[in-house]
Each structure stands twice: as C-alpha cells, then as structure tokens.
Amino acid sequence: MRRQPALLCCLLATSFIYVTSQGQLTQPPNGGNKKAWVGERIGITDVTIRYDRPGVKGREGKIWGQLVPVGYTDQGFGSSKAAPWRAGANENTTIEFSTDVTIEGKPLAAGKYGFFIAFDPNESTIIFSKNSSSWGSFYYDPNEDALRIKVKPQATDQAVEWLKYEFTDETPNSATVNLYWEKMRFPFKVEVDAVKTQLASIQNELRSDKGFTWQAWDQAAQWALQNNTNLEQALKWADSASGPIFGGANIFQPNATKAQILEKLGRTDEATALMKKSLPLANMNEIHQYARQLLAQKKSKEALDVFKMNYDKNPNQFTTLMGLTRGYSANGDYKNALKYAEQALPLAPNAQNKSNVQTMIGKLQQGKDVN
C-alpha cells in the first residue's frame, strides 16, 4: 500500500506528458498580435503572404531603430547571432510564389520563403530565405538566403496601427508589395513573365484530361492569337481543335480561330477559303461577329456580303437587320443603311439597343457612317 502515492505521481506525470504531446487548444496568438494572410494573382501567378500583425500600442516614434533595431542583432535566443527583423511578429513571416518571379528585377524561383528585413532608415535589406518554417528570426542563417534586395523605406503621412501587407500599382504582369507599419512603408516590385508562365501552363494542362475537348485546344489557340505570340504553335493547337479527333471538325468556332491565325500569319488566301467553307456551320450571331471582324479589318465589301448572307439565312431579325445597317453604311450607301435601321428599331430587345439604333438613325440622316 505504501507504493500507491509513488504510483499515482507516476501516472499523473505520464498523463501530463501525454496531454502536452497532443498539443494545445486553439487560442489567439501571444501578445494580442493578429494572424493574417493576404494574396493576389498576377497573371496566373499566386502571391501569398502569411504573417502576424503587431500593434504600435502607444509606442509611436519608438518603433524604427528601437523596437525594430537597425541591421542585425543578437536576440539572446536561438542559433543566430546576427538576426534581421522577422517583418511581423511571432512565427516566420512567409511569402509564397506559385511560379518563378522577379523581385525588383532579380529572379526568384517558385516556392515558399521566410521573409525578413534588416532595417536601415536609408536603405533596408529585404531577405527571402529558403527556411520558411523556423520561429521568427531566432535561427536565421544567411547561408539559407535565396535572394537579397535593397529598398528605401518611405515615410507615410497616415499612421498604421496594426502592421499590414498590401498590393498596389497592379498591372497585368506586376504589382508592388508594401509592408506598412506606424508611419513607414517598405515597397518592392514583383513581376512575372505572363506569356511564359501562361504558355507553360497551357502546355501542361493540354496533356491532362482537359486536353480531351476541342474547346481547350481552341482556347489555347485563341490566347496565342490575342497575345500575338507563338502563332505557329497556335496553328497546331487550332488544327487539333478543328480536327476530327476532339469533335471540332464540323463546328464553326475552332475553324474560325484557325482562319484568324492563318490571316495573322499572312496566309490570307487560306484563311479566306477556310472561312468560306466554315460559314455554313455558323449560327446567326457567329456570322454577325465574323462580318464585324471584317469591318474592323476595313474589308467593307466582304463584310456586306457576309451580312447579306446572314440576312438571307435569318431574315427580319434584329441582329441581321443591324448587320445590313452596318454593312451598307460602311460602303457609303446610307439610304439602304437607314432603311434597315428603321426596320430594326421596333425589334430592339431592350432600351439600350433601342437608344443605340436611334442614334444610328440620326447619324445616317446626316449622311454619317455608323461604324
């Protein structure tokens, strides 16, 4: 019986170890710092930042150079004797890129990085570390740096209580990432090669189950056409879209895409022949849009011929009447253009279209082209 207290203590200790090993309950982060994440897609590249948000908490004027020291410091814990600021609070601040990027013009591979700043009021050093899993910067190792860049901190008029990251100055292939805290801003530019990354994505996805429909091949060809890039490759994609294997041979859209690419490549006769062959496959709206494309290419006579064909196939429809209005107007025959515009007016499907037709009628009455 005398062994019972000892046994009880042993069981209690074992129980404590077991509970501790199972982890703690979910609670707010230490110090009242807020967990946050922010992200943005640049082209098809996802940029994601995860961080903890310290507050100024009445320490105005004591953040930069004091709470956040200048340069590198020995924090008295961990293996690093020269650690930068963790650019946040608590755990590592991390930044992740789904594709290769450039940071202020310097290349950085796709991946997840620990994010640090060695603060200097004149020129700070931003560090992307291959180690994204350590706690804070206590174990920072410069040998794990993937990239360092220099940025100039910028004073701001408006104070920011809780540290935050924000994307600004967005373009189709770039954005500026900013760290804001107190009255300071640290900006750096992220850029992607939008064409290269999209091309790689298309080539990869066409090898998956997505590549078993003509629509996917046509979408790839259309992307190259719209961006005027890799047109020879686009023609091969269009061949797949409009061929018999994926079911697009007897559908107007993929054949029209192929014709547009041939036109872009200077193979005009082939493009014209293909469109003439494919037009019987088209519906009313597809024919109308093709004729509008011809107008945009200053091929007014050819456009009128297509508008007439569409009207013969789909008579007394608002769309085809408007096609004849545009076709005759483009060829300087305002009398016939006005006749068909007046016929189209009562068939306008909504107020906006009705207003547009009325405007066209006014122009034609003054002898002006409506295109």
Side-chain angles (χ1 to χ4, degrees), residues 160-227:
V160 175
E161 172 66 24
W162 296 97
L163 181 148
K164 67 176 181 178
Y165 287 84
E166 188 174 292
F167 291 82
T168 60
D169 306 319
E170 292 92 339
T171 74
N173 69 331
S174 69
T176 297
V177 177
N178 306 271
L179 183 157
Y180 290 96
W181 195 27
E182 202 228 17
K183 289 190 174 181
M184 196 72 75
R185 167 185 179 234
F186 297 81
F188 61 92
K189 188 175 184 179
V190 179
E191 293 182 272
V192 300
D193 186 331
V195 170
K196 180 181 177 181
T197 55
Q198 181 68 75
L199 185 62
S201 176
I202 287 172
Q203 291 171 330
N204 185 53
E205 288 187 315
L206 286 176
R207 298 188 299 174
S208 71
D209 58 335
K210 295 179 180 180
F212 285 93
T213 66
W214 68 262
Q215 290 93 335
W217 296 91
D218 183 66
Q219 186 180 0
Q222 277 286 342
W223 171 81
L225 177 65
Q226 291 163 9
N227 288 275

Side-chain angles (χ1 to χ4, degrees), residues 60-366:
E60 290 84 357
K62 299 178 181 179
I63 300 295
W64 308 110
Q66 296 184 46
L67 182 64
V68 177
V70 173
Y72 304 83
T73 60
D74 184 348
Q75 301 177 89
F77 180 82
S79 58
S80 179
K81 303 303 178 184
W85 177 45
R86 71 187 80 184
N90 298 340
E91 305 165 46
N92 250 11
T93 295
T94 65
I95 184 166
E96 187 170 5
F97 307 98
S98 63
T99 72
D100 296 349
V101 298
T102 62
I103 309 293
E104 293 293 330
K106 295 184 178 180
L108 184 63
K112 185 177 182 180
Y113 298 93
F115 184 76
F116 305 102
I117 296 178
F119 171 67
D120 185 287
N122 298 311
E123 189 177 57
S124 295
T125 302
I126 290 183
I127 302 167
F128 298 85
S129 172
K130 297 173 185 176
N131 183 349
S132 63
S133 59
S134 293
W135 187 276
S137 56
F138 296 115
Y139 298 92
Y140 169 73
D141 183 346
N143 293 318
E144 295 174 329
D145 289 356
L147 177 67
R148 287 188 176 198
I149 61 168
K150 299 287 188 179
V151 301
K152 183 173 179 59
Q154 299 176 8
T156 61
D157 294 331
Q158 187 173 357
V160 175
E161 172 66 24
W162 296 97
L163 181 148
K164 67 176 181 178
Y165 287 84
E166 188 174 292
F167 291 82
T168 60
D169 306 319
E170 292 92 339
T171 74
N173 69 331
S174 69
T176 297
V177 177
N178 306 271
L179 183 157
Y180 290 96
W181 195 27
E182 202 228 17
K183 289 190 174 181
M184 196 72 75
R185 167 185 179 234
F186 297 81
F188 61 92
K189 188 175 184 179
V190 179
E191 293 182 272
V192 300
D193 186 331
V195 170
K196 180 181 177 181
T197 55
Q198 181 68 75
L199 185 62
S201 176
I202 287 172
Q203 291 171 330
N204 185 53
E205 288 187 315
L206 286 176
R207 298 188 299 174
S208 71
D209 58 335
K210 295 179 180 180
F212 285 93
T213 66
W214 68 262
Q215 290 93 335
W217 296 91
D218 183 66
Q219 186 180 0
Q222 277 286 342
W223 171 81
L225 177 65
Q226 291 163 9
N227 288 275
N228 196 27
T229 185
N230 295 81
L231 292 178
E232 291 293 347
Q233 177 64 68
L235 185 58
K236 293 178 182 178
W237 289 334
D239 283 336
S240 294
S242 60
I245 296 176
F246 299 116
N250 295 316
I251 298 174
F252 176 74
Q253 175 59 48
N255 285 283
T257 298
K258 181 178 178 180
Q260 291 175 63
I261 295 169
L262 288 168
E263 181 78 29
K264 199 81 170 180
L265 288 169
R267 295 160 63 174
T268 303
D269 291 343
E270 292 176 71
T272 301
L274 179 57
M275 283 304 299
K276 185 176 181 179
K277 175 184 175 183
S278 303
L279 274 175
L281 303 173
N283 62 35
M284 179 180 70
N285 288 326
E286 288 172 333
I287 297 173
H288 182 78
Q289 289 304 316
Y290 172 57
R292 292 288 300 269
Q293 290 173 16
L294 291 174
L295 284 182
Q297 296 167 8
K298 306 302 181 184
K299 297 179 179 180
S300 301
K301 184 179 181 302
E302 294 89 338
L304 179 57
D305 289 340
V306 175
F307 282 132
K308 286 179 177 179
M309 184 198 76
N310 202 16
Y311 181 80
D312 290 341
K313 190 176 179 180
N314 303 281
N316 301 316
Q317 299 292 314
F318 176 77
T319 296
T320 55
L321 287 166
M322 290 307 301
L324 289 175
T325 299
R326 290 187 177 279
Y328 279 114
S329 178
N331 283 273
D333 187 348
Y334 301 132
K335 182 179 179 180
N336 270 316
L338 178 59
K339 179 179 76 172
Y340 289 109
E342 289 174 339
Q343 291 179 36
L345 183 60
L347 300 177
N350 53 51
Q352 183 61 57
N353 276 282
K354 185 174 183 179
S355 176
N356 291 341
V357 177
Q358 288 171 334
T359 300
M360 288 183 175
I361 289 174
K363 287 185 177 181
L364 291 169
Q365 288 173 338
Q366 298 173 32

